[in-house]
Amino acid sequence: MKMIKKLFATCTWIVAVFFLLLPLAALAESSISLIDSSSHQLQDNLIWHKVEPPIKDLSYPVLLSSFNESPYIESSLIGRRGGYMLKLAVHNKVAENHWNLIFNANFIDKGLAYWKPENGLPVRLKEFSQLADNELPTLLHYQAISLPIDEYEIGELLIYVQAQHFAYPLSLEFVNQADFIKKQFAINTVSIMAITIMLTLALISFILYIRTRYLVTLACAGYIGLHGIGWAAASGLLVDAFDSFDLNTAYGGIYIFPFAIASASQFTRLLFNCDKAHFKITWCLNTLTFISFTLGLIIPWLHFHQAFAISHCIAILWIPITVFIGFYMLKKEDFRAKYYLFGNVVYTVSLGFYMLTHFKIYNGDIYPELVVVSALSIDCFCILLSMTEWLKSKQIEYNQSYSRSRIDPLTQVGNRYSLNERLAQIENGMTITFIDLDGMKKVNDELGHEQGDLLLKEVAVLMHEKIAEFGEVFRTGGDEFIWVFDKYKKEEVAECPRNIQRLISEIEVELHAKAWKAIGISFGIANNTEAPTVSACLTLADQRMYENKRGKNVTR
């Protein structure tokens, strides 16, 4: 418990420092010059005006008046909520006449921009938000609008945004058409593929649950599926796929996340059989499940920024727990942990990279959202692999249990339970041979039961070798064996007894050659044409065996 508290405190401190330092990476800007055809980014700091209350009349005069009357905010938009405005001077110094403006935000409820050329009237651009982007160039994880700016034109952009929560600094990026199409293709394709992989893996897990009824498969389906649905919502894919929604489902990922962690906690508990050997881990995971599930029920009634903070605190707590459990189980030589640990380490590293991109320590061309969602799909794939290892161990246990219940442990042939199963499967011709060893009591009395057991093993091996091609051997108790033949054609039934007598004679000869000279074999043969039921056929073969034994005037 102390270790969990320390982990939580450390993670909270890291996040606090992250959000405090993040605004310092930006510089104040209120104008931008597009000096070449590459992308140009405007950082989020000292550029936004706070608008109170949110504006309902979005006409240009009203927006311009509101902007002039509202004050600058002295830091980034990160962590803020409500309505904000920006007036940006733009100078297009190249012969590029088709730019796209990308907003680094996905929780936008209302977004509107006006473009006013230096010597022209303001032009209202398409509204950008999750509920309006079906008419815009769709870009998952972001918002984007086309900017109709002429070659070498100068003008002003007036932008209004409104959201329940700005999760990241709201930077703006100007991208030419060719680069935008490449970016759009990369982000949308990778995101859709990663989300599709997660949902497909969740469906596979759920089908496995329907077939097996193992709770671990249901927990796995919840773990993977809720993450997939959450990312589909957070990326904006759900709104794009179902544009009839009058709801910004991008917020949905935050509300789903606690339930995903509750499922993940139970999956981890069941995967490593913690209830049997790891009681402290079981308590920890059950506690986290209860907390996550309870918070998942509560946060829909809170403000979104509160729900956002709660879900991220759960994530900060969950990630080190999964890595710790993965290492701990691997140390215990539970090799299901190798997939579990690898997937969670990949996901953890991706989140670290994601944080670095916000600090501007990394300035490469790799899109951080793609790294995170791709890493999560890899994590989910590894989670499914770890579950297959669990199912494989269950299959081995089942096979061992099945074998113990149906195989005679001494002779390694089928037992009476296995015989009953086999007889129930036979539909056509059937011949049964009831066998009893003569002289077995003498061997036990004179040589000991250990030698008697050795004899039974050798007899079982010889029987199996003789009839394996067309029949099966079962030991039903003591020195009694039953042969079952069901592969003879109907016209061959008459020949079957002669063949069986020949095989029994061969076994007796081989036993005598191995120094078991006192041993003989009494047998009785019957087929289903002689008796109305399987039980009657067995009784008839048993009677004939005793008649055979009495005819030889031998005792057991």
Side-chain angles (χ1 to χ4, degrees):
M1 190 64 187
K2 289 182 179 179
M3 181 191 69
I4 294 173
K5 289 181 179 179
K6 288 181 180 179
L7 281 173
F8 182 76
T10 302
C11 294
T12 305
W13 181 83
I14 292 172
V15 172
V17 172
F18 166 60
F19 286 126
L20 286 172
L21 294 180
L22 190 56
L24 300 179
L27 297 174
E29 296 178 82
S30 58
S31 65
I32 190 168
S33 296
L34 308 177
I35 58 176
D36 53 44
S37 294
S38 61
S39 64
H40 301 268
Q41 193 169 67
L42 181 70
Q43 299 299 329
D44 169 19
N45 195 34
L46 297 175
I47 60 175
W48 293 97
H49 287 224
K50 174 66 175 174
V51 179
E52 291 285 3
I55 301 173
K56 295 183 178 180
D57 184 353
L58 298 177
S59 63
Y60 182 79
V62 172
L63 287 177
L64 183 60
S65 174
S66 297
F67 174 82
N68 292 330
E69 294 172 1
S70 59
Y72 278 113
I73 61 173
E74 297 181 355
S75 63
S76 166
L77 280 191
I78 186 170
R80 296 179 180 271
R81 54 191 179 275
Y84 294 86
M85 292 190 65
L86 163 67
K87 186 166 70 170
L88 179 67
V90 181
H91 187 183
N92 185 19
K93 296 184 177 182
V94 294
E96 176 71 52
N97 61 358
H98 197 151
W99 291 89
N100 290 277
L101 183 57
I102 299 175
F103 298 83
N104 182 32
N106 201 41
F107 294 144
I108 295 179
D109 295 319
K110 198 73 175 178
L112 188 68
Y114 283 89
W115 169 247
K116 184 181 181 304
E118 187 177 33
N119 298 312
L121 297 175
V123 178
R124 177 168 174 161
L125 307 181
K126 293 287 187 180
E127 183 177 338
F128 58 93
S129 72
Q130 284 296 343
L131 301 179
D133 66 358
N134 56 311
E135 300 180 0
L136 298 169
T138 300
L139 189 64
L140 298 179
H141 307 287
Y142 301 93
Q143 295 298 321
I145 55 173
S146 296
L147 182 61
I149 186 171
D150 292 334
E151 299 177 8
Y152 308 108
E153 187 174 20
I154 299 175
E156 284 184 344
L157 267 173
L158 187 63
I159 299 172
Y160 173 75
V161 292
Q162 178 186 328
Q164 295 182 38
H165 183 70
F166 292 96
Y168 312 109
L170 187 54
S171 60
L172 311 180
E173 186 177 9
F174 290 79
V175 182
N176 67 60
Q177 182 66 4
D179 289 343
F180 178 81
I181 291 174
K182 293 178 183 177
K183 186 178 184 110
Q184 181 186 43
F185 178 80
I187 291 176
N188 291 357
T189 301
V190 173
S191 296
I192 291 171
M193 287 179 61
I195 292 168
T196 301
I197 288 171
M198 285 186 269
L199 295 179
T200 302
L201 295 177
L203 180 60
I204 292 172
S205 299
F206 186 71
I207 292 172
L208 286 173
Y209 169 71
I210 293 175
R211 293 178 63 87
T212 66
R213 297 298 175 179
Y214 288 136
L215 287 178
V216 68
T217 58
L218 182 62
C220 184
Y223 183 174
I224 299 174
L226 291 175
H227 273 93
I229 295 171
W231 269 97
S235 67
L237 183 60
L238 289 184
V239 171
D240 294 337
F242 307 100
D243 56 17
S244 59
F245 282 179
D246 190 22
L247 179 69
N248 187 353
T249 56
Y251 295 108
I254 296 300
Y255 295 114
I256 290 173
F257 186 74
F259 298 108
I261 296 303
S263 297
S265 298
Q266 289 307 296
F267 170 76
T268 303
R269 178 182 68 84
L270 295 167
L271 176 69
F272 296 114
N273 300 316
C274 294
D275 291 348
K276 295 181 179 179
H278 310 291
F279 303 112
K280 291 183 179 179
I281 293 177
T282 298
W283 180 87
C284 175
L285 293 173
N286 284 338
T287 301
L288 183 59
T289 299
F290 175 78
I291 292 172
S292 297
F293 189 83
T294 303
L295 290 174
L297 296 176
I298 293 173
I299 60 176
W301 310 102
L302 305 178
H303 293 295
F304 178 74
H305 69 278
Q306 295 171 324
F308 183 90
I310 289 172
S311 288
H312 280 72
C313 284
I314 293 173
I316 291 168
L317 183 62
W318 171 246
I319 288 172
I321 288 176
T322 60
V323 174
F324 168 77
I325 291 176
F327 275 114
Y328 179 79
M329 294 302 174
L330 198 60
K331 186 178 178 180
K332 294 289 185 181
E333 296 186 352
D334 189 333
F335 292 104
R336 285 166 290 193
K338 60 182 182 289
Y339 300 118
Y340 180 90
L341 176 61
F342 178 78
N344 281 289
V345 167
V346 169
Y347 187 44
T348 301
V349 170
S350 73
L351 290 178
F353 167 77
Y354 190 60
M355 293 178 69
L356 291 179
T357 61
H358 286 302
F359 277 116
K360 300 304 174 186
I361 296 174
Y362 171 83
N363 290 307
D365 296 327
I366 300 176
Y367 308 126
E369 289 80 8
L370 299 191
V371 173
V372 175
V373 75
S374 300
L376 183 57
S377 67
I378 293 172
D379 181 26
C380 290
F381 183 73
C382 290
I383 291 302
L384 189 66
L385 286 178
S386 66
M387 187 187 72
T388 60
E389 288 291 316
W390 186 91
L391 292 173
K392 188 186 298 183
S393 68
K394 282 295 179 183
Q395 183 64 42
I396 292 172
E397 290 177 11
Y398 172 79
N399 290 341
Q400 291 173 344
S401 175
Y402 184 92
S403 177
R404 285 193 296 268
S405 65
R406 290 163 174 80
I407 303 298
D408 177 56
L410 177 64
T411 61
Q412 296 302 303
V413 298
N415 60 14
R416 183 173 291 278
Y417 187 86
S418 181
L419 170 66
N420 294 336
E421 279 190 339
R422 185 71 188 89
L423 293 175
Q425 296 170 357
I426 296 176
E427 298 178 355
N428 300 315
M430 173 187 65
T431 299
I432 292 175
T433 303
F434 215 111
I435 291 176
D436 188 87
L437 299 183
D438 303 328
M440 188 69 194
K441 185 175 185 302
K442 185 178 180 180
V443 171
N444 284 330
D445 291 344
E446 295 180 0
L447 302 178
H449 286 279
E450 185 176 344
Q451 288 297 306
D453 289 346
L454 178 61
L455 170 61
L456 290 173
K457 291 179 184 179
E458 291 191 6
V459 168
V461 169
L462 287 172
M463 289 180 177
H464 179 73
E465 289 176 351
K466 295 296 181 182
I467 73 167
E469 184 179 348
F470 43 82
E472 294 178 70
V473 181
F474 301 90
R475 182 189 178 206
T476 56
D479 57 353
E480 293 180 350
F481 294 85
I482 291 178
W483 294 359
V484 177
F485 303 90
D486 66 336
K487 296 184 180 179
Y488 281 97
K489 296 179 181 177
K490 195 171 184 179
E491 58 272 16
E492 295 174 341
V493 170
E495 296 293 326
C496 190
R498 279 194 289 270
N499 291 333
I500 292 173
Q501 291 175 25
R502 175 178 55 81
L503 293 173
I504 290 173
S505 296
E506 292 176 2
I507 292 171
E508 283 186 324
V509 169
E510 294 188 33
L511 286 173
H512 294 165
K514 293 183 177 182
W516 303 105
K517 299 186 182 299
I519 294 300
I521 298 176
S522 296
F523 63 92
I525 304 171
N527 62 65
N528 63 338
T529 61
E530 302 176 283
T533 65
V534 171
S535 178
C537 190
L538 278 169
T539 301
L540 180 59
D542 189 24
Q543 290 172 352
R544 288 175 176 174
M545 184 273 294
Y546 278 107
E547 290 172 4
N548 179 251
K549 187 181 287 288
R550 284 195 297 270
K552 294 189 291 185
N553 193 27
V554 297
T555 62
R556 300 176 66 87

